């Protein structure tokens, strides 16, 4: 099996590993970088549970090989916390009971984070459209939409995102 040296920064921390050339980014993040918030649901890029930011752009980690993002800056849901405190968007999900079973939540939060960085004052329809690529199998999306709306109201994500 061919292996490749992969280097990237995950949530601001350098990670360097020799990995099989066909190792998925989602597996790399979970197994080699310890980012257990990267959940793999469908393994086909459909459900959005594995959404992460690759150089600031949302991407499905189950659709890319780790070697394809060699040298990239990756941000996962764990990377939104500061000194153990929840990011205001994470706190809004908690406050609005938008977690449900929690499996889809990391992908929802990363998607919402990117969306709010580009649309700081979204309508409910815009929030629903932005989250339409993230599937929740538990129940409805009402609390999730309310959490994103509340986070937007509080200015939880500065325009352009945090660096």
């Amino acid at each position: 099996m061919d292996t490749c040296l992969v280097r990237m920064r995950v949530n601001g921390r350098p990670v360097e590993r020799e990995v099989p050339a066909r190792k998925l980014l989602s597996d790399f993040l979970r197994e080699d970088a310890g980012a257990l918030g990267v959940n793999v649901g469908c393994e086909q890029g459909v459900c959005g549970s594995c959404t992460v930011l690759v150089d600031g752009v949302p991407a499905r980690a189950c659709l890319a090989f780790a070697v394809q993002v060699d040298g990239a800056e990756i941000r996962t849901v764990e990377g939104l916390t500061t000194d153990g405190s929840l990011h205001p968007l994470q706190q809004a999900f908690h406050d609005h009971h938008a977690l449900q079973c929690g499996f889809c939540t990391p992908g929802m939060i990363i998607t919402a984070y990117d969306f709010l960085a580009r649309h700081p004052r979204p309508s409910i329809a815009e929030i629903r459209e932005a989250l339409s690529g993230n599937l929740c199998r538990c129940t409805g999306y009402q609390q999730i939409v309310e959490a994103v709306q509340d986070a937007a109201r509080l200015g939880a994500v500065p325009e352009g995102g945090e660096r």
Side-chain angles (χ1 to χ4, degrees), residues 35-51:
L36 299 179
V38 180
N39 292 333
V40 178
C42 66
E43 298 183 75
Q44 299 174 2
V46 175
C47 74
S49 293
C50 64
T51 303

Side-chain angles (χ1 to χ4, degrees), residues 93-118:
F93 268 67
H94 177 269
D95 293 346
H96 287 272
H97 307 285
L99 303 170
Q100 302 177 40
C101 85
F103 194 82
C104 68
T105 304
M108 290 271 187
I109 289 174
I110 289 293
T111 299
Y113 178 87
D114 173 67
F115 171 69
L116 290 177
R118 293 179 290 112

